[in-house]
Amino acid sequence: QVQVVESGGGLVQAGGSLRLSCTASGSISSINAMGWHRQGPGNQRELVATVTSGGDRNLKDSVKGRFTISRDNAKNTVYLQMNSLKPEDTAIYYCNADVRLTNRIGTFRYWGQGTQVTVSS
């Protein structure tokens, strides 16, 4: 019903930048929040950043001042601009979209397949 596809991961040196993109498509009536989570080696998945359809943003303390989340509602796309990357940012980054479907009542969370971000020291 809904597909969520991320792109933009890769290998970068410490201090470098990457921009992640995520687009949701399918039987979408509207999307509430979109966001990014990450799971590093041996760690649990953690919330990195979210943005609502109205533009309200929430970021994990450790990425404030370095990461920026933005959204294009017309394209059902969310972006994560990551600057001043650190080795501890190394993780698989997962996008989520909280979707209202065209053919079903309720809001449902869909996840992307994940994109690897590796920061070398």
Side-chain angles (χ1 to χ4, degrees):
Q1 288 180 330
V2 175
Q3 298 78 42
V4 178
V5 179
E6 303 112 331
S7 63
L11 172 64
V12 64
Q13 289 187 331
S17 299
L18 284 172
R19 188 190 194 211
L20 305 183
S21 300
C22 168
T23 298
S25 62
S27 302
I28 298 172
S29 175
S30 63
I31 302 178
N32 295 344
M34 299 185 79
W36 293 93
H37 293 65
R38 68 187 182 188
Q39 186 166 13
N43 296 331
Q44 292 185 334
R45 190 176 296 191
E46 62 181 8
L47 175 66
V48 177
T50 62
V51 58
T52 68
S53 57
D56 293 329
R57 295 169 172 81
N58 181 43
L59 285 93
K60 179 179 175 63
D61 284 346
S62 64
V63 307
K64 288 179 180 178
R66 301 188 297 122
F67 291 11
T68 302
I69 188 168
S70 61
R71 177 171 170 172
D72 186 333
N73 290 331
K75 295 181 179 179
N76 290 338
T77 298
V78 64
Y79 306 95
L80 186 68
Q81 177 66 44
M82 303 185 294
N83 300 327
S84 302
L85 281 160
K86 303 176 181 180
E88 51 263 42
D89 295 318
T90 294
I92 300 174
Y93 283 69
Y94 297 91
C95 173
N96 76 274
D98 295 341
V99 176
R100 291 181 180 267
L101 300 172
T102 58
N103 56 3
R104 190 176 176 187
I105 296 173
T107 301
F108 302 90
R109 174 161 289 186
Y110 291 88
W111 293 92
Q113 79 287 352
T115 185
Q116 177 70 47
V117 171
T118 303
V119 184
S120 63
S121 57

